[in-house]
Amino acid sequence: MKSKVVAGILAILLGGIGVHKFYLGKIGMGILYLVFCWTGIPSIIGLIEGIMYLVADDDTFQAKYCKK
């Protein structure tokens, strides 16, 4: 069971290099974020994802974002 607060903060602070994706067990997406980190686009997406993680309720977060 992953913490939505940890995932949200990682996405906001280190989302540009995909740390939150590695934390959630989505290794392929994490590598994709690393490959495109020089463009700045993953940083913007990470910020948006971090906010989405933090405002989601716990059950929705676990069902939607955590690898099972």
Side-chain angles (χ1 to χ4, degrees):
M1 189 163 168
K2 304 288 182 174
S3 169
K4 74 175 190 169
V5 175
V6 172
I9 294 190
L10 286 174
I12 291 170
L13 297 178
L14 300 171
I17 56 174
V19 173
H20 63 295
K21 293 296 185 181
F22 290 111
Y23 175 73
L24 293 174
K26 299 177 190 254
I27 306 300
M29 286 298 293
I31 293 171
L32 191 65
Y33 275 57
L34 273 173
V35 168
F36 289 102
C37 69
W38 62 274
T39 65
I41 294 171
S43 297
I44 296 167
I45 296 172
L47 176 67
I48 294 168
E49 285 179 332
I51 293 168
M52 288 172 45
Y53 295 163
L54 292 172
V55 299
D57 63 22
D58 290 330
D59 294 331
T60 304
F61 174 79
Q62 293 299 324
K64 193 171 182 180
Y65 300 111
C66 293
K67 189 175 181 179
K68 292 186 179 185

